[in-house]
Amino acid sequence: MSLVKKALPCLLVAVLSATPQLAQAREKDHLYKFTVLHTNDHHGRFWNNEQGEYGLAAQKTMMDQIRMAVQKEGGATLILSGGDINTGVPESDLQDAEPDFRGMNLIGYDAMAIGNHEFDKPMSVLRQQQKWAKFPLLSANIYQKSSGKRLFQPYALFNRMGLKIAVIGLTTDDTQKIGNPENFTDIEFRSPAAEAKKVIESLRANEKPDVIIAATHMGHYDNGNHGSNAPGDVEMARALPEGYLDMIVGGHSQDPVCMDAANHKTVNYIPGTPCKPDQQNGTWIVQAHEWGKYIGRADFTFLNGKLALQHYALIPINLKHKVAGADGKTVWQNYQPEIAKNPAMMKLLKPFQDKGAAQLNVKIGSVDSLLQGDRSKVRFEQTSMARLILEAQIERTHADFAIMSGGGVRDSIQPGVVTYKDVLKVQPFGNTLVYVDLTGREIAQYLAVVANKQVDSGAYAQFARVSLTADGKDVSAVKINGQPLQREKTYRMATLSFNACGGDGYPALDKHPGYVNTGFVDAEVLKHYIEQHSPLVAAHYQPQGEIIQKPAR
């Protein structure tokens, strides 16, 4: 592999006071070896899924194996997370991700970037998670508005076999837009690249680390084409002077960053196959997909100021694919040999899993076929899962129509029995249902903004009882409940508190005179609707082409 050109905290991490040898200079002509292990976008997956894929118990087994192998070769490991520990699995959500953080402690994580989903609940929950974690939660670009000071530790220093490594945390500045505005009244997210430059220059002047790594939650976008998203890892690497940053351990876009050509990721990466990370402006960029499906492994050597990546791999954690069995039936087969579950981790996590299951695995209804809410659909087109959610909101508020951003739909519901767990997978954020009475004139202005949100983003709008044509700038042929929009008539619109407060860049409505926050939690509204209308017929919620989007003029 080619060489990489080498290059204040609010709190002091324990590693600083516990390792005074950090001040020692590295030895000339000594070959240092260290390995960075990384995951990102965990999203509550402390337990394996139904097929036995991923989960912290198997992850610990593999982490331990790698750690021991590296030590035998005279090296040391550093375990990092690209953030988003929260939100995605009800058993975790109901317990504020306590099992996830305690499991990460047992594995031996060294640090993590703070992700946007760490703000899905009030700050008090995040502060409690910091107490559970025996490793620092890092972000250099999150500030308190009122004081102008950083809210979190910006970096941590580590000694690996005499090599001094700095890890900086950075969080996407999209958080303010895609998170719940109610949680950001005294928080601002500054430019990650600008803050990184300030921290790196301070480190180079004062701490003089041998290696500088950024643990980020910003996203990897091919060739820096970030679309409607905030700039990500590629853009930051290019914005910094060459040699400032050795490595970026990323997250947020939830991709396996394996490049098949310059500035172009491999499409449909196959687990276990070779993976070449991205390199931009002398900085290696890695990301390990999502949910602990992989452990990223980067083996480095360092000699006389030069850092070299010797090998990189994404190690699948019991990932499987469907194959035809001997009897002709489809079976799940591992891509690589099965990784055993660590007994100590299972002992730690099983009480959390059992507690969550007791609360969640209760039948609330049924559906005859798939309710489509997959990320690959709900951010690109109108779907049946979103339509069901919106119909539930309309019924509860007696609204004329309903709108929400597609990013608020987090999963599909499969045919058959529907449980409370299924509902919480679809709507894990705990937003409240609101409504607002608007004139037709106000609605036309509102729709002109939200109906033209870009596809492939969480802001892409889902509608119920609305038909229109959007052209990239405006809307036309608007109908509510099949009738042309009357500009002087008053209509009631249902939505979620997230969007009403300006989330995903939607026009804020929470100060409007006709605004009412019902206090009903979104998942509870959906749960009640399913209970009242089961058995559900999915076809009744299938969009019929009411929303037409034309290319921008």
Side-chain angles (χ1 to χ4, degrees), residues 205-245:
N206 301 303
E207 300 292 349
K208 297 179 173 56
D210 301 301
V211 178
I212 301 178
I213 298 171
T216 74
H217 195 83
M218 296 165 55
H220 179 278
Y221 308 107
D222 284 359
N223 202 27
N225 296 321
H226 57 86
S228 63
N229 302 296
D233 296 331
V234 171
E235 302 89 301
M236 181 173 74
R238 292 175 176 177
L240 292 171
E242 184 177 358
Y244 260 41
L245 195 56

Short mmCIF file of all heavy atoms in Angstrom, two decimals, residues 205-245:
data_model
loop_
_atom_site.label_atom_id
_atom_site.label_comp_id
_atom_site.label_asym_id
_atom_site.label_seq_id
_atom_site.Cartn_x
_atom_site.Cartn_y
_atom_site.Cartn_z
N ALA A 205 0.59 21.83 17.68
CA ALA A 205 1.40 22.80 18.41
C ALA A 205 1.70 22.37 19.83
O ALA A 205 2.80 22.63 20.35
CB ALA A 205 0.70 24.15 18.42
N ASN A 206 0.75 21.69 20.47
CA ASN A 206 0.87 21.42 21.91
C ASN A 206 1.12 19.96 22.26
O ASN A 206 2.00 19.66 23.07
CB ASN A 206 -0.39 21.91 22.62
CG ASN A 206 -0.63 23.39 22.43
OD1 ASN A 206 0.22 24.21 22.76
ND2 ASN A 206 -1.78 23.77 21.89
N GLU A 207 0.37 19.05 21.66
CA GLU A 207 0.49 17.64 22.02
C GLU A 207 1.45 16.87 21.11
O GLU A 207 1.99 15.85 21.51
CB GLU A 207 -0.90 16.97 21.97
CG GLU A 207 -1.92 17.59 22.90
CD GLU A 207 -1.60 17.35 24.37
OE1 GLU A 207 -0.70 16.53 24.67
OE2 GLU A 207 -2.25 17.98 25.23
N LYS A 208 1.60 17.34 19.88
CA LYS A 208 2.49 16.72 18.89
C LYS A 208 2.27 15.22 18.74
O LYS A 208 3.19 14.41 18.91
CB LYS A 208 3.95 17.01 19.27
CG LYS A 208 4.30 18.51 19.24
CD LYS A 208 5.74 18.75 19.65
CE LYS A 208 6.13 20.21 19.46
NZ LYS A 208 5.23 21.15 20.19
N PRO A 209 1.04 14.81 18.39
CA PRO A 209 0.78 13.39 18.19
C PRO A 209 1.47 12.88 16.93
O PRO A 209 1.75 13.64 15.99
CB PRO A 209 -0.74 13.33 18.03
CG PRO A 209 -1.13 14.68 17.53
CD PRO A 209 -0.16 15.64 18.16
N ASP A 210 1.76 11.59 16.91
CA ASP A 210 2.37 10.97 15.74
C ASP A 210 1.34 10.68 14.66
O ASP A 210 1.64 10.73 13.46
CB ASP A 210 3.05 9.66 16.15
CG ASP A 210 4.13 9.88 17.19
OD1 ASP A 210 5.07 10.64 16.91
OD2 ASP A 210 4.01 9.30 18.30
N VAL A 211 0.14 10.35 15.08
CA VAL A 211 -0.96 10.00 14.17
C VAL A 211 -2.21 10.74 14.61
O VAL A 211 -2.49 10.83 15.81
CB VAL A 211 -1.22 8.47 14.18
CG1 VAL A 211 -2.39 8.12 13.27
CG2 VAL A 211 0.02 7.70 13.75
N ILE A 212 -2.96 11.28 13.64
CA ILE A 212 -4.22 11.96 13.95
C ILE A 212 -5.34 11.29 13.17
O ILE A 212 -5.29 11.17 11.94
CB ILE A 212 -4.17 13.46 13.60
CG1 ILE A 212 -3.04 14.15 14.38
CG2 ILE A 212 -5.50 14.13 13.91
CD1 ILE A 212 -2.89 15.62 14.08
N ILE A 213 -6.35 10.85 13.90
CA ILE A 213 -7.51 10.15 13.33
C ILE A 213 -8.76 10.95 13.68
O ILE A 213 -8.88 11.47 14.80
CB ILE A 213 -7.63 8.73 13.89
CG1 ILE A 213 -6.39 7.89 13.52
CG2 ILE A 213 -8.90 8.04 13.39
CD1 ILE A 213 -6.34 6.53 14.21
N ALA A 214 -9.68 11.06 12.75
CA ALA A 214 -10.99 11.64 13.03
C ALA A 214 -12.03 10.53 13.07
O ALA A 214 -12.15 9.76 12.11
CB ALA A 214 -11.36 12.67 11.98
N ALA A 215 -12.73 10.41 14.19
CA ALA A 215 -13.91 9.55 14.26
C ALA A 215 -15.09 10.45 13.95
O ALA A 215 -15.37 11.39 14.69
CB ALA A 215 -14.04 8.92 15.64
N THR A 216 -15.76 10.19 12.83
CA THR A 216 -16.78 11.13 12.37
C THR A 216 -18.13 10.47 12.18
O THR A 216 -18.22 9.27 11.95
CB THR A 216 -16.37 11.76 11.02
OG1 THR A 216 -16.52 10.78 9.98
CG2 THR A 216 -14.95 12.27 11.05
N HIS A 217 -19.15 11.30 12.24
CA HIS A 217 -20.49 10.88 11.84
C HIS A 217 -20.98 11.92 10.84
O HIS A 217 -21.79 12.78 11.16
CB HIS A 217 -21.42 10.77 13.04
CG HIS A 217 -22.67 10.02 12.72
ND1 HIS A 217 -22.74 8.64 12.73
CD2 HIS A 217 -23.90 10.44 12.32
CE1 HIS A 217 -23.94 8.26 12.37
NE2 HIS A 217 -24.66 9.33 12.12
N MET A 218 -20.48 11.82 9.61
CA MET A 218 -20.73 12.84 8.59
C MET A 218 -21.16 12.27 7.25
O MET A 218 -21.76 12.96 6.44
CB MET A 218 -19.46 13.68 8.40
CG MET A 218 -19.05 14.48 9.63
SD MET A 218 -17.35 15.11 9.51
CE MET A 218 -17.42 16.03 7.98
N GLY A 219 -20.82 11.00 6.98
CA GLY A 219 -21.20 10.38 5.72
C GLY A 219 -20.09 10.37 4.69
O GLY A 219 -19.26 11.28 4.64
N HIS A 220 -20.08 9.33 3.87
CA HIS A 220 -19.13 9.22 2.75
C HIS A 220 -19.92 9.31 1.45
O HIS A 220 -20.80 8.49 1.18
CB HIS A 220 -18.37 7.90 2.80
CG HIS A 220 -17.40 7.74 1.66
ND1 HIS A 220 -17.79 7.31 0.41
CD2 HIS A 220 -16.07 7.98 1.57
CE1 HIS A 220 -16.75 7.28 -0.39
NE2 HIS A 220 -15.68 7.68 0.29
N TYR A 221 -19.61 10.32 0.65
CA TYR A 221 -20.29 10.53 -0.62
C TYR A 221 -19.25 10.52 -1.74
O TYR A 221 -18.27 11.27 -1.70
CB TYR A 221 -21.06 11.85 -0.59
CG TYR A 221 -21.97 11.95 0.61
CD1 TYR A 221 -21.66 12.80 1.68
CD2 TYR A 221 -23.11 11.15 0.71
CE1 TYR A 221 -22.48 12.86 2.80
CE2 TYR A 221 -23.92 11.22 1.83
CZ TYR A 221 -23.61 12.06 2.87
OH TYR A 221 -24.40 12.11 3.99
N ASP A 222 -19.47 9.66 -2.72
CA ASP A 222 -18.51 9.50 -3.81
C ASP A 222 -18.14 10.84 -4.43
O ASP A 222 -19.02 11.61 -4.84
CB ASP A 222 -19.07 8.58 -4.90
CG ASP A 222 -19.03 7.11 -4.50
OD1 ASP A 222 -18.55 6.81 -3.39
OD2 ASP A 222 -19.49 6.27 -5.30
N ASN A 223 -16.84 11.11 -4.48
CA ASN A 223 -16.31 12.32 -5.10
C ASN A 223 -16.86 13.59 -4.47
O ASN A 223 -16.89 14.65 -5.08
CB ASN A 223 -16.59 12.32 -6.62
CG ASN A 223 -15.64 13.23 -7.37
OD1 ASN A 223 -14.51 13.48 -6.93
ND2 ASN A 223 -16.09 13.75 -8.49
N GLY A 224 -17.35 13.48 -3.23
CA GLY A 224 -17.88 14.64 -2.53
C GLY A 224 -19.24 15.11 -3.01
O GLY A 224 -19.67 16.21 -2.67
N ASN A 225 -19.94 14.28 -3.78
CA ASN A 225 -21.27 14.66 -4.28
C ASN A 225 -22.32 14.36 -3.20
O ASN A 225 -22.97 13.31 -3.22
CB ASN A 225 -21.57 13.90 -5.58
CG ASN A 225 -20.63 14.27 -6.69
OD1 ASN A 225 -20.28 15.44 -6.85
ND2 ASN A 225 -20.21 13.29 -7.48
N HIS A 226 -22.47 15.29 -2.28
CA HIS A 226 -23.32 15.04 -1.11
C HIS A 226 -24.78 15.45 -1.31
O HIS A 226 -25.61 15.23 -0.42
CB HIS A 226 -22.75 15.75 0.12
CG HIS A 226 -22.57 17.23 -0.05
ND1 HIS A 226 -23.57 18.13 0.19
CD2 HIS A 226 -21.50 17.96 -0.41
CE1 HIS A 226 -23.14 19.35 -0.02
NE2 HIS A 226 -21.87 19.29 -0.40
N GLY A 227 -25.14 16.02 -2.47
CA GLY A 227 -26.54 16.35 -2.74
C GLY A 227 -27.11 17.28 -1.70
O GLY A 227 -26.51 18.30 -1.35
N SER A 228 -28.28 16.92 -1.14
CA SER A 228 -28.93 17.76 -0.15
C SER A 228 -28.38 17.53 1.26
O SER A 228 -28.79 18.20 2.21
CB SER A 228 -30.44 17.51 -0.16
OG SER A 228 -30.72 16.16 0.20
N ASN A 229 -27.47 16.56 1.41
CA ASN A 229 -26.86 16.30 2.70
C ASN A 229 -25.75 17.31 2.97
O ASN A 229 -25.21 17.93 2.06
CB ASN A 229 -26.27 14.88 2.73
CG ASN A 229 -27.31 13.82 2.45
OD1 ASN A 229 -28.24 13.64 3.22
ND2 ASN A 229 -27.15 13.11 1.34
N ALA A 230 -25.39 17.44 4.24
CA ALA A 230 -24.25 18.28 4.58
C ALA A 230 -22.97 17.63 4.06
O ALA A 230 -22.91 16.42 3.86
CB ALA A 230 -24.18 18.46 6.10
N PRO A 231 -21.91 18.43 3.82
CA PRO A 231 -20.64 17.85 3.37
C PRO A 231 -20.16 16.75 4.32
O PRO A 231 -20.35 16.84 5.54
CB PRO A 231 -19.70 19.05 3.38
CG PRO A 231 -20.60 20.23 3.18
CD PRO A 231 -21.86 19.89 3.92
N GLY A 232 -19.53 15.73 3.74
CA GLY A 232 -19.11 14.58 4.51
C GLY A 232 -17.60 14.42 4.60
O GLY A 232 -16.84 15.39 4.52
N ASP A 233 -17.17 13.17 4.73
CA ASP A 233 -15.76 12.87 4.97
C ASP A 233 -14.86 13.25 3.79
O ASP A 233 -13.76 13.76 3.98
CB ASP A 233 -15.60 11.37 5.27
CG ASP A 233 -16.30 10.96 6.55
OD1 ASP A 233 -16.42 11.79 7.46
OD2 ASP A 233 -16.72 9.79 6.63
N VAL A 234 -15.31 12.96 2.57
CA VAL A 234 -14.50 13.27 1.39
C VAL A 234 -14.25 14.78 1.30
O VAL A 234 -13.11 15.23 1.08
CB VAL A 234 -15.18 12.76 0.11
CG1 VAL A 234 -14.45 13.27 -1.13
CG2 VAL A 234 -15.24 11.24 0.10
N GLU A 235 -15.31 15.54 1.49
CA GLU A 235 -15.20 16.99 1.40
C GLU A 235 -14.27 17.55 2.47
O GLU A 235 -13.48 18.47 2.22
CB GLU A 235 -16.58 17.64 1.50
CG GLU A 235 -17.57 17.18 0.43
CD GLU A 235 -18.36 15.95 0.86
OE1 GLU A 235 -17.74 14.90 1.14
OE2 GLU A 235 -19.59 16.04 0.91
N MET A 236 -14.36 16.99 3.69
CA MET A 236 -13.49 17.48 4.76
C MET A 236 -12.03 17.13 4.49
O MET A 236 -11.14 17.97 4.69
CB MET A 236 -13.91 16.89 6.11
CG MET A 236 -13.05 17.39 7.26
SD MET A 236 -13.61 16.88 8.89
CE MET A 236 -13.14 15.15 8.85
N ALA A 237 -11.77 15.91 4.02
CA ALA A 237 -10.39 15.52 3.73
C ALA A 237 -9.78 16.44 2.68
O ALA A 237 -8.60 16.82 2.76
CB ALA A 237 -10.34 14.07 3.25
N ARG A 238 -10.58 16.83 1.70
CA ARG A 238 -10.08 17.72 0.65
C ARG A 238 -9.91 19.15 1.14
O ARG A 238 -9.05 19.89 0.64
CB ARG A 238 -11.04 17.69 -0.54
CG ARG A 238 -11.07 16.36 -1.28
CD ARG A 238 -12.12 16.37 -2.37
NE ARG A 238 -12.10 15.14 -3.16
CZ ARG A 238 -12.98 14.87 -4.14
NH1 ARG A 238 -13.94 15.74 -4.43
NH2 ARG A 238 -12.87 13.74 -4.81
N ALA A 239 -10.73 19.55 2.12
CA ALA A 239 -10.68 20.93 2.62
C ALA A 239 -9.48 21.19 3.52
O ALA A 239 -9.01 22.32 3.63
CB ALA A 239 -11.97 21.27 3.36
N LEU A 240 -8.97 20.14 4.16
CA LEU A 240 -7.84 20.30 5.08
C LEU A 240 -6.52 20.25 4.31
O LEU A 240 -6.42 19.61 3.26
CB LEU A 240 -7.85 19.17 6.12
CG LEU A 240 -8.99 19.19 7.13
CD1 LEU A 240 -9.01 17.91 7.94
CD2 LEU A 240 -8.88 20.40 8.04
N PRO A 241 -5.50 20.92 4.81
CA PRO A 241 -4.18 20.80 4.17
C PRO A 241 -3.73 19.34 4.15
O PRO A 241 -3.98 18.59 5.10
CB PRO A 241 -3.28 21.65 5.08
CG PRO A 241 -4.21 22.61 5.76
CD PRO A 241 -5.49 21.85 5.95
N GLU A 242 -3.07 18.94 3.08
CA GLU A 242 -2.61 17.56 2.97
C GLU A 242 -1.65 17.25 4.12
O GLU A 242 -0.78 18.04 4.47
CB GLU A 242 -1.89 17.35 1.64
CG GLU A 242 -1.46 15.91 1.42
CD GLU A 242 -0.82 15.69 0.06
OE1 GLU A 242 -0.74 16.66 -0.73
OE2 GLU A 242 -0.39 14.55 -0.22
N GLY A 243 -1.85 16.09 4.73
CA GLY A 243 -1.02 15.68 5.85
C GLY A 243 -1.58 16.03 7.20
O GLY A 243 -1.05 15.59 8.23
N TYR A 244 -2.64 16.82 7.26
CA TYR A 244 -3.24 17.18 8.55
C TYR A 244 -3.94 15.99 9.21
O TYR A 244 -3.96 15.89 10.43
CB TYR A 244 -4.25 18.32 8.34
CG TYR A 244 -3.72 19.69 8.69
CD1 TYR A 244 -2.42 20.07 8.34
CD2 TYR A 244 -4.49 20.62 9.35
CE1 TYR A 244 -1.93 21.33 8.65
CE2 TYR A 244 -4.02 21.88 9.68
CZ TYR A 244 -2.74 22.23 9.32
OH TYR A 244 -2.25 23.46 9.63
N LEU A 245 -4.53 15.15 8.41
CA LEU A 245 -5.37 14.08 8.95
C LEU A 245 -4.95 12.77 8.30
O LEU A 245 -4.93 12.64 7.07
CB LEU A 245 -6.84 14.39 8.66
CG LEU A 245 -7.91 13.60 9.40
CD1 LEU A 245 -7.73 13.72 10.92
CD2 LEU A 245 -9.29 14.12 9.01
#
